[in-house]
Amino acid sequence: MKSHWLVSARFDLCVFVLPALASVVLAALSGRLADPTGDTPAWAYLAFVVGVDVAHVHATSVRVYFDRAELARRSGLYLLVPLLGFISGCLAYHASPLLFWRALAYLAVFHFMRQQIGWLRLYRRRAGEHGAWDARLDEAALYLSMLYPLLVWHARLPTRFQWFMAGDFLQGLPAGVAHAAGQVWALVLLAFALRQWQRRKRGLPVSAGKLLLLSTTACTWGSGIVLFDNDFAFTVTNVIAHGVPYAAMAFRVGHAPSPSPRAAWQTWLFARAPRYLALLALLAYAEEWLWDASVWREHAGIFPAPALDLEAWSAWLVPLLTLPQLTHYVLDAYLWRLDGQNPGLASALGVGVPPEARSITV
């Protein structure tokens, strides 16, 4: 059935729109909420980095590695991805720690961008929009709403914030490149707006959810990267608008009827959202405790641990600790495909199987 929304107006507004707007408001208050240097304070690190960003990564862990039936269904893929990820991570880190973090940073950026494109494709599917030209225009407008701030960021480097660590993005991009991208984006947005007006005049569907997705994406990427130059503003706009929708939609998939029998604990876990979110938060805290105790040592008040001198093992330890997020980035190219590879996914998301393979997230 055609709809403006992925689930419902209430669900979409609460899961997609309100978190994005809340993150922009928090960013605007960064002068009061951030540390004097603009860094993310400990309370915000725990709430947003651990409680949202790291937690949503483990939605993939729960969906795959906590589910015997799913793990057995594609065991080769699910075991090979972390194994190859660890090997390639160790090789990259041994070559250069900066190379390792740079590669991971750009993979993360790609993943964040592709998730928005995935939501867009779902909105188009729900609204019954199937035109190839419209799809290209929609995706160009959404890609540029993220690419333009990203290019501005590169042109401004070094900045007061970074993705993972200082220097993980390449410096030296001419400012004119970012300026030209902004002009192209403005032209594409004009074409997009005119096309939506034309569709409406012709009685064709125009998805309100799709328009809100484009607007909130532009607001979060623009405010967090271009408007404000501090770590707190970037952190909240980056992780809230990305992690909250993902965790909510992953829960919806788990809560929906499964084509294969589920273990009793899975039925219990997905019966109530607080149980599911509590498990994600627990896994996130455990992961960040390991990071802080063995590598970063920046938040002893949040992650109390004995002093461990593991620097000699960092070339093995860091790639190992990044496996949850690396696996999350890669497996999302498979877990959200609507081409029949994931039984029950289309019905859980409320859409039919499209005529071609398209992933929601990467």
Side-chain angles (χ1 to χ4, degrees), residues 282-295:
L282 180 63
L283 293 171
Y285 183 86
E287 179 188 333
E288 285 302 297
W289 185 91
L290 290 171
W291 271 109
D292 204 75
S294 59
V295 179

Side-chain angles (χ1 to χ4, degrees), residues 66-318:
F66 285 35
D67 186 336
R68 287 187 179 181
E70 179 62 23
L71 185 59
R73 190 172 70 86
R74 290 191 291 198
S75 58
L77 171 69
Y78 295 147
L79 297 177
L80 197 60
V81 167
L83 176 61
L84 292 180
F86 179 67
I87 293 172
S88 59
C90 290
L91 292 174
Y93 201 96
H94 274 84
S96 165
L98 180 59
L99 172 64
F100 172 85
W101 286 111
R102 181 167 289 170
L104 193 64
Y106 281 108
L107 180 60
V109 170
F110 181 69
H111 163 75
F112 273 60
M113 296 176 76
R114 287 292 293 177
Q115 177 166 300
Q116 299 307 102
I117 296 298
W119 300 140
L120 172 66
R121 289 175 175 174
L122 262 186
Y123 271 116
R124 286 181 48 79
R125 187 74 186 175
R126 292 287 282 132
E129 300 179 21
H130 304 296
W133 190 88
D134 279 312
R136 295 189 187 98
L137 181 59
D138 291 350
E139 294 189 14
L142 187 57
Y143 266 128
L144 284 166
S145 72
M146 298 177 283
L147 182 61
Y148 168 65
L150 193 62
L151 293 176
V152 170
W153 186 356
H154 279 67
R156 289 178 178 176
L157 287 171
T159 58
R160 294 171 60 194
F161 61 96
Q162 51 275 326
W163 196 280
F164 289 127
M165 60 181 296
D168 54 9
F169 280 169
L170 294 167
Q171 298 186 27
L173 182 74
V177 175
H179 180 69
Q183 292 180 320
V184 173
W185 181 34
L187 292 174
V188 171
L189 280 182
L190 177 61
F192 175 83
L194 290 174
R195 176 55 178 163
Q196 305 315 303
W197 176 81
Q198 182 188 54
R199 288 181 64 91
R200 189 171 184 84
K201 293 288 287 184
R202 293 181 176 179
L204 297 173
V206 176
S207 168
K210 179 183 74 174
L211 300 181
L212 286 170
L213 176 72
L214 178 61
S215 301
T216 54
T217 301
C219 286
T220 52
W221 283 67
S223 62
I225 296 174
V226 179
L227 188 57
F228 304 104
D229 185 17
N230 65 76
D231 180 72
F232 176 80
F234 169 68
T235 297
V236 294
T237 53
N238 187 350
V239 304
I240 296 176
H242 177 80
V244 171
Y246 187 94
M249 293 298 284
F251 172 77
R252 179 172 172 78
V253 171
H255 183 72
S258 173
S260 58
R262 281 182 174 152
W265 75 267
Q266 291 175 300
T267 303
W268 177 86
L269 178 67
F270 286 105
R272 295 288 185 271
R275 299 172 186 171
Y276 174 76
L277 296 177
L279 176 59
L280 298 189
L282 180 63
L283 293 171
Y285 183 86
E287 179 188 333
E288 285 302 297
W289 185 91
L290 290 171
W291 271 109
D292 204 75
S294 59
V295 179
W296 302 130
R297 303 182 186 89
E298 295 176 343
H299 298 286
I302 303 176
F303 308 108
L308 302 174
D309 186 9
L310 300 175
E311 187 174 351
W313 296 88
S314 59
W316 307 96
L317 186 59
V318 170

Side-chain angles (χ1 to χ4, degrees), residues 81-86 291 318-328:
V81 167
L83 176 61
L84 292 180
F86 179 67
W291 271 109
V318 170
L320 180 64
L321 291 176
T322 56
L323 278 185
Q325 66 194 92
L326 178 61
T327 302
H328 167 69

